[in-house]
Amino acid sequence: MAATATLASASGSGRLVWLGFCCVLLVGAGLDLACRFYPAELPFWMPWEFSWPEYLVAAFAVVWFATGLKRLPRSGHPPLWRTISFLLGVVMIYGVLQTHIDYYAQHMFFVHRAQHYVLHHLGAFLVALGASGPVIWAGMPEFLKPLFGSRPVRATVDIIQHPVVAPVLFVGLIYVWLIPQFHTRVMLDVNLYNVMNESMAVDGIFFWCLILDSRPRPPARLGSGLRALLVIAVEPLQMVLGAILSLSMTDYYPVYKICGRIWDIPGLSDQHYGGLIIWLPSTLTSFAGMIVVLATMRLNEERAEREKGIT
C-alpha cells in the first residue's frame, strides 16, 4: 500500500514538472510573438528584443527552485533571507536583459554600465548569496542531472572557478568588452551583443558563488583567506578603469552617438557617468563581499569550536 502511494506521488510530481515545462514554453512563445508583431504596443516591463536563452534560464531557475522547495523536507530549505536574495537576483538580471531597460542600454553608455553592474555584480551577488544550488538540483528533472553532472561540465566549472582564472576572467571580461573598437563592433552586432551580456551574467554568478560560499574548506573550493584575497585582487583594476572613463576628456565610445542617444546629454557626460558606475558601486559590492567572507569565516570557526567542545 505504501509503495503504491509512493509511486502515485512520484507520478503526480512528474506530471507537475512536465506541466510547468509546458507553461514556461507557452509563456515564452507568447512573449516571442508579441515582440515580433506588436513591439510598439508593448509596455516597459516587456522584452524589447525577446531572447529564448535568457528567458528559459531565468524561468527554469525559478521553476526548479520552487519545485525543489516542494520536494525537499522543511529542514532542507534555505533561510527565508536566502530565498529572497536568490529570487531578487534572478528578477534583477532578467529585468535588465528582458525589459525595455535593454533598449536604453543600447543607446546610453551609462545605462549600459548600470546594466552590466547588475549582471556582473549586484544581481549575480544576490543570486550567489541565495546559495540555491541544492534546491535547484532537487527540483531539476532527473534526465537533466547527468548532463549537468558530466565530466565536461565539471571540468569547465573547475577552470572558471580556479583561484587564478576566476579573478582574471572577472576583471578581464570588463576590459575586453570595453575596448573601444571592439565595443563599437559589439554594439552593432546583435549576436555579439547577446554574448557580451550573457557572458557577464554567467561569469558574475560563478565568481560570486566562489567568493560567497559559506561552507568551510572542504567542501568549499577555497578557504576564507584566499577568497578575501580574490576580492581584494579584482578591485584595483576596476577602480582604475572607472577613474579613466570618468575623468577622461576623450569620448571613447562614439557608437552611442551613431546609434542615437535617447537623452540629450553630451557624450563625455554619458561616459563620465558610466565610469562612475564602474568605479563606485563595484567598490561597494566588493566591500559587501569582504564582509560576507569575514562573517562566514568567523561563523565557521565558531562552529568548529563547538564541535570540538562536544567531542
Side-chain angles (χ1 to χ4, degrees):
M1 197 73 172
T4 303
T6 302
L7 287 173
S9 176
S11 177
S13 176
R15 285 195 297 269
L16 187 63
V17 169
W18 283 107
L19 178 62
F21 180 78
C22 292
C23 289
V24 167
L25 292 182
L26 285 174
V27 172
L31 291 173
D32 191 9
L33 290 173
C35 291
R36 288 176 185 270
F37 297 106
Y38 307 101
E41 288 78 18
L42 298 181
F44 184 85
W45 52 270
M46 291 282 281
W48 173 251
E49 293 177 333
F50 181 74
S51 168
W52 273 107
E54 293 166 4
Y55 165 77
L56 289 176
V57 169
F60 281 127
V62 174
V63 169
W64 292 344
F65 183 80
T67 305
L69 289 178
K70 183 178 177 60
R71 289 177 176 175
L72 290 173
R74 194 74 180 176
S75 59
H77 289 191
L80 179 61
W81 67 269
R82 286 195 182 274
T83 297
I84 293 173
S85 176
F86 168 72
L87 294 176
L88 181 59
V90 172
V91 169
M92 292 181 71
I93 290 174
Y94 180 84
V96 298
L97 290 175
Q98 288 293 280
T99 68
H100 281 44
I101 292 174
D102 188 48
Y103 171 75
Y104 286 83
Q106 295 175 33
H107 293 269
M108 299 296 298
F109 181 72
F110 83 90
V111 180
H112 164 75
R113 293 320 307 162
Q115 179 191 50
H116 276 211
Y117 170 69
V118 172
L119 295 176
H120 205 223
H121 287 76
L122 183 58
F125 185 99
L126 291 173
V127 168
L129 195 62
S132 58
V135 180
I136 292 176
W137 185 261
M140 184 183 298
E142 291 298 325
F143 71 89
L144 285 178
K145 290 182 179 180
L147 172 63
F148 285 93
S150 63
R151 184 175 298 177
V153 172
R154 294 200 309 269
T156 301
V157 174
D158 289 341
I159 293 172
I160 294 174
Q161 293 193 322
H162 188 278
V164 175
V165 175
V168 173
L169 194 60
F170 186 79
V171 178
L173 278 179
I174 301 175
Y175 273 79
V176 166
W177 293 121
L178 286 177
I179 296 172
Q181 295 82 356
F182 187 44
H183 188 77
T184 298
R185 169 69 186 278
V186 169
M187 297 304 292
L188 298 176
D189 185 323
V190 65
N191 294 319
L192 280 175
Y193 179 79
N194 289 333
V195 169
M196 172 182 67
N197 287 340
E198 292 160 8
S199 68
M200 292 294 281
V202 170
D203 178 63
I205 291 171
F206 274 111
F207 179 80
W208 290 115
C209 282
L210 179 68
I211 298 300
L212 302 181
D213 193 340
S214 61
R215 302 169 300 173
R217 181 178 182 271
R221 288 176 178 269
L222 305 178
S224 297
L226 186 52
R227 279 182 275 155
L229 286 176
L230 293 188
V231 174
I232 295 172
V234 301
E235 192 50 42
L237 288 176
Q238 295 180 84
M239 294 176 66
V240 168
L241 179 60
I244 291 172
L245 294 181
S246 60
L247 299 175
S248 176
M249 298 308 294
T250 301
D251 183 3
Y252 294 112
Y253 305 105
V255 65
Y256 292 92
K257 182 179 180 180
I258 297 171
C259 295
R261 287 187 169 86
I262 296 175
W263 294 303
D264 186 19
I265 63 174
L268 274 178
S269 297
D270 189 12
Q271 180 177 291
H272 291 168
Y273 300 151
L276 287 173
I277 291 172
I278 297 173
W279 191 351
L280 301 179
S282 63
T283 301
L284 293 176
T285 306
S286 296
F287 181 69
M290 181 65 75
I291 292 175
V292 173
V293 169
L294 294 177
T296 54
M297 179 174 63
R298 181 57 186 160
L299 289 173
N300 289 330
E301 289 175 350
E302 291 176 351
R303 187 180 298 112
E305 290 172 0
R306 288 195 300 270
E307 290 174 354
K308 287 181 180 180
I310 293 174
T311 57

